[in-house]
Amino acid sequence: MKKDTKTELIRTLEQELGYKRFIHTMYVAGTASSLAMCYGADLEKAETAGLLHDCAKCLDLHRMQRLCEKAGLTLSPFEKESGALLHSKAGSVLAKEKYGITDPDLLNAIRYHTTGRPGMSLLEKIIFVADYIEPGRFTASNLSQIRKMAFEDIDEALLKILYDTLVYLHTTGNPVDPMTQKTYEYYKQLFEENAIYD
Ligand code: DGI
Ligand code: FE
Ligand code: FE
């Protein structure tokens, strides 16, 4: 992305998102860039995915649903009723249609940034983790431990975030999307298999 185009994108996001969401977005872009440096991922893509990951967050639920339906995406019953879940799928549609993103990896990083999915790419993991650890976050438990872990072993950080998110959802009584559960089980198994050879 050209420098002018990026400046333009940031200016648009500043208008589209609320003040707090915009600050969060800038922090995620910065954190994602740092993780990309750490793991040798594409810096440019990580920054752009960070900038766009919550681009649909401030739309109302109905608009999110319409965007997904028009794009032919199937929605789980939980997704349909929850902006917390739907904004990531709707965001990937908006990133393509409004912001002209065509890179499938970048679109997937936006699409799966809330629930994760089994077999995530490095970019997908970077956005998922950056969203959780960016410096403006302070409410989740184990944040300082996870922040350090993120730059040492991104898979371990991913698993810890998934675990803590499930615990959090259970304590608040929020419904767990099957994808969040599936992602956790996939990475738990992967971690246990690898641990045998450590
Ligand atoms: O959009 P952000 O707030 O920056 O972060 P996010 O896209 O990771 O969304 C965060 C919320 O989504 C957080 O409160 C946890 C929640 N979440 C993650 N998985 C699930 C979920 N909420 C429900 N109801 N079910 C899930 O499976
Ligand atoms: Fe989000
Ligand atoms: Fe976010």
Side-chain angles (χ1 to χ4, degrees):
M1 193 180 285
K2 279 195 285 188
K3 202 161 162 249
D4 286 355
T5 320
K6 188 169 293 169
T7 310
E8 206 46 53
L9 169 62
I10 294 172
R11 212 188 297 280
T12 308
L13 290 168
E14 191 180 9
Q15 287 157 2
E16 294 284 318
L17 305 171
Y19 182 61
K20 279 191 181 161
R21 185 58 46 183
F22 178 65
I23 292 176
H24 163 71
T25 291
M26 295 309 289
Y27 270 141
V28 172
T31 305
S33 303
S34 305
L35 286 168
M37 290 176 203
C38 180
Y39 291 104
D42 188 316
L43 206 60
E44 172 76 27
K45 272 193 211 182
E47 190 188 22
T48 307
L51 286 173
L52 285 169
H53 84 286
D54 273 341
C55 68
K57 187 88 181 185
C58 297
L59 303 180
D60 63 44
L61 188 63
H62 188 65
R63 272 203 70 194
M64 290 184 202
Q65 289 167 341
R66 281 232 323 265
L67 272 169
C68 292
E69 276 161 22
K70 266 177 64 187
L73 297 179
T74 45
L75 303 178
S76 75
F78 300 117
E79 279 178 326
K80 241 180 217 152
E81 298 312 320
S82 158
L85 288 168
L86 199 52
H87 78 279
S88 29
K89 260 189 187 170
S92 70
V93 177
L94 208 59
K96 193 174 179 180
E97 292 179 0
K98 177 172 176 173
Y99 297 101
I101 303 297
T102 52
D103 184 295
D105 194 22
L106 213 157
L107 292 172
N108 282 335
I110 299 169
R111 180 166 174 169
Y112 296 105
H113 85 262
T114 305
T115 60
R117 64 163 173 164
M120 293 163 88
S121 72
L122 178 58
L123 182 68
E124 289 173 58
K125 290 176 190 172
I126 284 175
I127 297 303
F128 185 88
V129 171
D131 193 19
Y132 197 85
I133 67 163
E134 62 91 344
R137 295 263 201 217
F138 59 92
T139 50
S141 46
N142 307 313
L143 259 181
S144 55
Q145 182 203 359
I146 295 172
R147 282 180 170 136
K148 191 164 186 290
M149 203 188 265
F151 290 89
E152 291 165 356
D153 185 338
I154 197 163
D155 289 307
E156 201 178 351
L158 183 69
L159 182 62
K160 182 88 182 115
I161 293 169
L162 286 162
Y163 178 80
D164 284 359
T165 301
L166 285 173
V167 170
Y168 167 77
L169 290 172
H170 283 300
T171 54
T172 55
N174 275 313
V176 175
D177 189 88
M179 188 63 101
T180 311
Q181 186 68 38
K182 250 172 62 183
T183 310
Y184 168 67
E185 276 157 22
Y186 175 91
Y187 282 101
K188 183 166 168 274
Q189 195 182 353
L190 209 65
F191 189 79
E192 284 167 358
E193 279 167 12
N194 287 334
I196 296 167
Y197 301 104
D198 279 351

